[in-house]
Amino acid sequence: MRKFGLIGYPLKHSFSGKYFAEKFEREGIHDCQYDLYEIDTISKFPELIKNNPELEGVNVTIPYKEQVIPYLDELEPGCKAIGAVNCIKAKEGKLIGYNTDYIGFKASLDAWLEGQRPKALILGTGGASKAVKQALEALEMPYLMVSRNANGQKGQITYDDLIKNEQYLQEYFLIVNTTPLGTFPNTEEMPDIPVSQIGSEHKVYDLVYNPEKTFLMRSLEARGAVVKNGLEMLQLQAEAAWKIWN
């Protein structure tokens, strides 16, 4: 039996387990299984690998996309540039890190924008934001990162800056949420952006997919914005991971 799985914490509402179980069923793949490995600290990762020598591939989710890097033998060059890993291939005793979030997001966003290239605001600075940043660069779209504390970082502003300076939302018409805010069960949370400044010229891509329409999406859609959740990106990144493992 070929084994694959997912590491992260918590994994109660994981997409990958259900996706791969349905994929194996649908495509008549009977020699593979996909398990969830919920570990409360990344230091347990080596032990997990040691205890499951038949693991061929592992997906990585919050909060370990960056923390897992020191435990890997090498990073695929594109993944190295991103600085975050969401897919690991175990091959001949070596663990190789990849980033399929980048592949999934870039393909999904490009199709959704239908040739448009608006300036983007990336909400959040975690592992997922790094893949988004790389995809926007590849699509030649200017962007700013938005976080609670900008710490004087170039190309980064705070939520306070957004609220105080209306200029930003008059110039940046794509908003990409890479934070977990709004994810089930805390569905009435959203990043602190000034909703009153949103209009029909704005587009919102929320990487959260559970619930299907997040509080952020609902709030901005009510102001006329066009919205999209992260489900398609997740499906595309899962298929990209499957391709890498095979």
Side-chain angles (χ1 to χ4, degrees):
M1 186 63 80
R2 301 177 66 201
K3 280 178 81 169
F4 304 90
L6 173 73
I7 62 161
Y9 189 84
L11 291 180
K12 268 202 305 288
H13 306 290
S14 129
F15 160 87
S16 302
K18 188 171 179 287
Y19 183 83
F20 279 104
E22 287 173 359
K23 177 184 172 65
F24 295 160
E25 180 71 29
R26 188 176 63 245
E27 297 179 16
I29 300 168
H30 304 302
D31 62 341
C32 294
Q33 72 181 62
Y34 191 101
D35 299 304
L36 303 184
Y37 301 100
E38 191 173 77
I39 49 176
D40 57 9
T41 164
I42 195 62
S43 60
K44 291 182 177 171
F45 178 66
E47 189 190 345
L48 169 73
I49 293 297
K50 194 173 146 220
N51 294 340
N52 296 276
E54 62 280 38
L55 262 177
E56 291 182 38
V58 181
N59 286 124
V60 184
T61 188
I62 291 170
Y64 301 135
K65 292 183 183 189
E66 293 160 288
Q67 294 178 34
V68 78
I69 293 175
Y71 297 93
L72 305 180
D73 298 297
E74 60 185 86
L75 297 180
E76 179 270 330
C79 177
K80 200 174 199 166
I82 292 165
V85 166
N86 77 316
C87 173
I88 298 166
K89 180 175 184 166
K91 191 183 178 192
E92 292 158 4
K94 270 188 166 178
L95 297 175
I96 306 161
Y98 295 81
N99 193 303
T100 64
D101 278 341
Y102 162 79
I103 298 167
F105 177 73
K106 181 170 168 270
S108 175
L109 181 72
D110 193 24
W112 188 51
L113 290 178
E114 296 178 328
Q116 292 177 309
R117 291 291 180 263
K119 288 185 175 181
L121 294 173
I122 304 174
L123 310 183
T125 52
S129 74
K130 297 187 163 182
V132 165
K133 207 164 82 172
Q134 194 81 352
L136 293 177
E137 284 171 13
L139 294 169
E140 297 182 352
M141 292 170 64
Y143 63 84
L144 278 177
M145 312 286 290
V146 187
S147 68
R148 286 190 295 264
N149 314 300
N151 304 329
Q153 293 263 48
K154 195 175 176 295
Q156 203 162 305
I157 60 169
T158 64
Y159 290 101
D160 271 355
D161 295 332
L162 263 192
I163 292 161
K164 288 177 187 154
N165 187 346
E166 290 194 13
Q167 191 59 41
Y168 288 117
L169 282 164
Q170 286 168 16
E171 203 183 314
Y172 290 79
F173 291 129
L174 174 66
I175 297 162
V176 184
N177 177 36
T178 73
T179 78
L181 288 173
T183 309
F184 187 84
N186 305 313
T187 54
E188 296 306 298
E189 292 180 353
M190 66 177 262
D192 191 16
I193 71 166
V195 175
S196 62
Q197 294 177 31
I198 298 294
S200 58
E201 64 279 18
H202 288 98
K203 289 191 159 192
V204 184
Y205 194 124
D206 195 336
L207 267 53
V208 174
Y209 63 93
N210 183 11
E212 203 174 310
K213 206 167 257 191
T214 61
F215 187 40
L216 175 72
M217 289 166 69
R218 296 200 313 270
S219 305
L220 274 49
E221 192 174 43
R223 302 279 311 170
V226 180
V227 302
K228 182 176 177 66
N229 71 17
L231 186 61
E232 182 184 50
M233 168 191 168
L234 270 170
Q235 292 164 342
L236 291 168
Q237 69 78 23
E239 287 303 325
W242 182 245
K243 218 169 166 177
I244 286 164
W245 297 332
N246 288 280

